[in-house]
Amino acid sequence: MTLLVELPPDVGTVGHDVGASHVWAIALCALFVGVTLAVTFRVGGTTKRAVDFYAAGRGFGSTQNGLALTGAYLSAASFLGIAGMIALWGYDGFRYSIGFLVAWMLVLPLAQLMRNTGRFTMADIPAFRARQTRVRLACTASTVTVSVLYLLAQMVGVGALVTLLVGVHQGGTFLGMAAPQAETAAIVLVGVLMIVYVMYGGMKAATWLQIIKAVLLLAGSALMAFLVLGLFGFNVGDLLASAADASGKGQAFLEPGARFGGDVAGDPAQSLINRLDLISLVLGLVLGTVALPHILVRFYTVPDGRAARASANRAIMLIGVFYLMTLVLGFGAAALVGPERIAAQDPGGNTAVPQLAEEIGSLVAGPVGGAVLLALVSAVALAAILAVAASLTLASSSSIAHDLFGHVLMWGRPKESQELAVARLSAAAIGAVAIVLAIQARDLNVAFLVGLAFSVAAAANLPVIVFSLFWRRFNASGVEWGVYGGLGASLLLMLFSPVMSGKVHPETGENLSLLPEWVDIQLFPLEHPGLVAIPIGFLCAVIGTLRSDERSTDRYRELRVRSLTGTGAA
Amino acid sequence: MQTAILIVVFLGWYMAYLFLSIYARDFMGMQIYGVINLALLLGVGQFASTLVLAWGYCLYAARRLDPLAAELRDESAAAEAVLNGRVGQG
């Protein structure tokens, strides 16, 4: 069997020395998987109680959890996607990354309160005051929806990433597989691995996976950013000037408006829609982050509220530094590789960093350097997807086992061993469903799913978290209305948006929507539902609360004390 | 309360940046030093302000909030002892 990819010489692949790079990439990926599996089986032996599986025995320190939060938050889209957008669109790609960081300023003050109030899942927060099974049911519904939407985006991304990195999308073969087989194989492999991590090691394995991945991601980016800056004599002005030159757009490359919220000449309505769409996207990102279940449950892995706050602070530092490095990588790719070569490889720009890796590797240490650096980037990207996918699987299986099985089906009195068995089984089931769906959706552009997941989190989960912590009058009816209102509004608006139907290319008339051309149910002009769905979610939570006479003033007072002081917190 | 003010101020600062980058392109394109323009400076400024504020919040919380929480904890522990009330959670 040969590892070499057979490509016609005129096809512009990532590398000229592709074969060597593949050997390195496979070796590095295998090393990562081997190390993380070894860790999983080591900690799997000590995962016996519920608190081990859901919350890693609450034994992680704040620096460890800060790294793990960074790992859980930064997916391959942050690494490859944002740097790629910067390489292709200049300043607008950077503007996109700012929203991802700013969102953490909401996480920081809430981290301690959420940690002190809950035990294992998001539902613990509202259920502290309103101990009804319907509260648990509603929270399970939104947790699983958010996690599975996000998971699906990751899994489809795996397929695209692997074919892009090994170059088979341009008609070559890899280990005798053409693109569709290679995609399916990659999806199945990643799916099976994430099931194994979660089933055997629970939160302990997931946390170590995130930590290892975050260290790899930060170290890899730092190395590349250092090399890029070194090539420009550590002069940022030179780097920006060459990027602007190479882009062909000149100074406009360094100014906002190339990609998002841009004006459409002679069409003020469309210009307004573009601007509202950008605001809608940003609103979903900024308000959704704090309510993402797989981020929220990470705060339960530290011993107390103070450690939760400190870990959010560490995560902000790491994520901020990371996005600044992507700025260097993105402009570096624009300057050294050039937007034309990047767009020729992938119009979305996802190959900008791999191409840059090869370019600077070759400049610094010849063909071997290029191959090694490209392989390193590939391994980091795969690790990034794998870690995020595992934490999403864990968040949804925890909610199914703890909320749905433990509190709804077993009336809050399950045997611990039973609940754990359900958690492991549901991890396998969710993983299997995600594999099947991802293979079905392999050829679709599912990038919108990430934005949708953030929007659902902001519209359905955020009202429940905020009102549970700060509104005396809030009750079970409010939880139900808020969750189902926000969830329903996000999904319906998405169904009627240009993403689903009615969007055509202005020049070629090509159908750019997900549904076939003859279906046109577009009623909502924005591609991101956040701007409308989030207010609906909050409004529904208020209406639902006021419709019911139920009050929980005593429990609320207790919650306030506990959330601030940690007295009696798990 | 101070925390709420902090969040509002910070989100306002971010929204101001966002709206400037949407509606005041010419202003944002103003070149300050070589190729470095106002948009880049403000963008990096958003990063810097986030990092500084996060760090500052943690210092503030450790100095002011934690002692307050400790006081409250002692008070409620005394009250708990009298009531012999519930501590654990179901």
Side-chain angles (χ1 to χ4, degrees):
Chain A
M1 197 188 292
T2 171
L3 285 171
L4 288 172
V5 175
E6 297 142 33
L7 280 168
D10 55 341
V11 173
T13 55
V14 169
H16 35 76
D17 196 7
V18 179
S21 165
H22 284 169
V23 177
W24 277 99
I26 291 171
L28 285 176
C29 289
L31 184 68
F32 173 77
V33 170
V35 168
T36 48
L37 280 180
V39 171
T40 302
F41 287 112
R42 224 186 118 83
V43 299
T46 61
T47 300
K48 296 202 169 62
R49 298 165 303 158
V51 69
D52 296 323
F53 187 88
Y54 296 132
R58 310 203 196 283
F60 280 98
S62 53
T63 304
Q64 287 172 322
N65 195 42
L67 274 168
L69 280 165
T70 311
Y73 190 57
L74 298 174
S75 61
S78 303
F79 181 46
L80 303 181
I82 288 184
M85 278 207 276
I86 295 172
L88 289 184
W89 304 104
Y91 189 81
D92 265 15
F94 173 51
R95 188 160 61 156
Y96 191 70
S97 73
I98 295 174
F100 281 100
L101 178 70
V102 164
W104 280 80
M105 285 309 285
L106 282 183
V107 182
L108 185 60
L110 286 177
Q112 182 171 16
L113 306 180
M114 296 193 299
R115 166 65 188 85
N116 282 338
T117 312
R119 291 174 71 213
F120 298 139
T121 61
M122 186 199 95
D124 289 337
I125 298 169
F128 185 88
R129 298 173 54 187
R131 296 189 197 175
Q132 280 100 333
T133 51
R134 53 200 180 110
V135 169
R136 297 269 174 188
L137 199 61
C139 291
T140 309
S142 66
T143 299
V144 172
T145 309
V146 172
S147 303
V148 168
L149 288 174
Y150 206 152
L151 182 58
L152 209 52
Q154 299 295 320
M155 299 282 283
V156 175
V158 170
L161 177 73
V162 165
T163 52
L164 223 44
L165 291 177
V166 302
V168 289
H169 69 300
Q170 283 162 328
T173 57
F174 179 66
L175 299 174
M177 294 182 290
Q181 286 93 339
E183 282 186 9
T184 309
I187 291 171
V188 172
L189 185 69
V190 166
V192 169
L193 277 173
M194 85 192 177
I195 293 173
V196 170
Y197 290 133
V198 174
M199 273 185 81
Y200 282 92
M203 185 53 112
K204 284 184 187 171
T207 306
W208 281 113
L209 182 64
Q210 311 294 358
I211 292 175
I212 295 171
K213 167 239 169 137
V215 169
L216 273 179
L217 183 63
L218 291 166
S221 314
L223 174 67
M224 283 186 50
F226 179 77
L227 290 176
V228 168
L229 284 173
L231 287 173
F232 288 92
F234 295 97
N235 184 335
V236 181
D238 275 1
L239 168 64
L240 293 174
S242 349
D245 276 350
S247 73
K249 296 189 185 88
Q251 192 63 31
F253 193 64
L254 306 177
E255 289 166 13
R259 174 79 173 84
F260 299 113
D263 288 310
V264 180
D267 190 350
Q270 190 59 43
S271 302
L272 179 68
I273 288 174
N274 284 356
R275 285 168 178 175
L276 288 178
D277 216 4
L278 173 66
I279 295 169
S280 190
L281 164 74
V282 165
L283 204 62
L285 285 184
V286 171
L287 298 179
T289 299
V290 67
L292 286 174
H294 71 290
I295 299 292
L296 200 160
V297 295
R298 291 231 62 84
F299 292 118
Y300 299 135
T301 65
V302 292
D304 55 28
R306 209 182 297 182
R309 188 177 70 213
S311 60
N313 194 30
R314 303 276 197 297
I316 290 178
M317 301 294 161
L318 294 170
I319 292 168
V321 169
F322 173 79
Y323 281 127
L324 285 177
M325 292 192 296
T326 61
L327 186 65
V328 174
L329 297 186
F331 281 124
L336 294 169
V337 185
E340 268 170 41
R341 268 171 67 200
I342 296 168
Q345 187 84 4
D346 175 38
N350 286 315
T351 52
V353 174
Q355 284 174 295
L356 174 70
E358 197 180 23
E359 191 76 31
I360 52 178
S362 309
L363 284 175
V364 172
V368 179
V372 173
L373 212 51
L374 173 59
L376 181 71
V377 165
S378 313
V380 167
L382 195 75
I385 290 195
L386 198 50
V388 174
S391 66
L392 290 164
T393 311
L394 180 67
S396 39
S397 66
S398 293
S399 182
I400 289 177
H402 180 61
D403 301 329
L404 189 66
F405 176 78
H407 283 91
V408 178
L409 292 178
M410 302 299 281
W411 300 95
R413 293 180 200 83
K415 272 196 200 144
E416 200 169 347
S417 59
Q418 275 180 334
E419 196 179 304
L420 276 183
V422 171
R424 293 195 155 104
L425 275 180
S426 48
I430 286 164
V433 169
I435 292 174
V436 172
L437 286 177
I439 291 173
Q440 295 298 319
R442 206 177 50 206
D443 297 325
L444 303 177
N445 182 3
V446 295
F448 74 94
L449 284 177
V450 174
L452 181 59
F454 273 86
S455 167
V456 173
N461 293 352
L462 189 64
V464 171
I465 295 173
V466 169
F467 287 153
S468 295
L469 290 174
F470 300 110
W471 191 20
R472 187 186 307 271
R473 177 78 167 75
F474 195 52
N475 56 31
S477 165
V479 174
E480 274 192 311
W481 275 66
V483 166
Y484 295 128
L487 184 65
S490 300
L491 294 180
L492 279 177
L493 288 174
M494 191 44 102
L495 179 64
F496 296 124
S497 79
V499 172
M500 283 297 165
S501 66
K503 186 183 176 190
V504 289
H505 195 281
E507 281 142 35
T508 60
E510 186 192 354
N511 180 23
L512 296 177
S513 300
L514 215 53
L515 294 171
E517 214 163 339
W518 51 270
V519 188
D520 189 354
I521 47 170
Q522 189 200 330
L523 298 169
F524 181 65
L526 305 182
E527 294 191 14
H528 303 95
L531 190 60
V532 180
I534 298 170
I536 290 181
F538 275 90
L539 198 66
C540 284
V542 172
I543 294 173
T545 303
L546 297 179
R547 274 173 55 93
S548 157
D549 290 331
E550 186 199 336
R551 282 162 199 273
S552 56
T553 315
D554 283 355
R555 289 295 282 173
Y556 175 70
R557 200 168 296 134
E558 214 171 312
L559 179 143
R560 290 294 294 167
V561 172
R562 178 180 294 194
S563 67
L564 289 171
T565 64
T567 308
Chain B
M1 194 57 213
Q2 285 92 333
T3 309
I5 295 172
L6 181 96
I7 291 177
V8 169
V9 168
F10 186 74
L11 284 184
W13 159 233
Y14 175 62
M15 287 321 264
Y17 160 78
L18 191 68
F19 279 93
L20 272 178
S21 78
I22 294 178
Y23 289 103
R25 299 254 174 78
D26 294 338
F27 173 66
M28 293 292 267
M30 202 159 66
Q31 296 196 0
I32 306 287
Y33 178 76
V35 291
I36 296 171
N37 58 30
L38 192 62
L40 279 165
L41 285 182
L42 284 181
V44 174
Q46 287 283 327
F47 274 83
S49 61
T50 307
L51 299 188
V52 168
L53 264 177
W55 183 66
Y57 173 80
C58 277
L59 274 187
Y60 161 77
R63 278 207 200 125
R64 302 290 305 279
L65 296 186
D66 285 351
L68 275 179
E71 212 173 281
L72 199 60
R73 188 159 49 224
D74 294 343
E75 267 174 40
S76 68
E80 280 306 322
V82 175
L83 289 167
N84 198 14
R86 48 203 166 158
V87 174
Q89 187 200 347

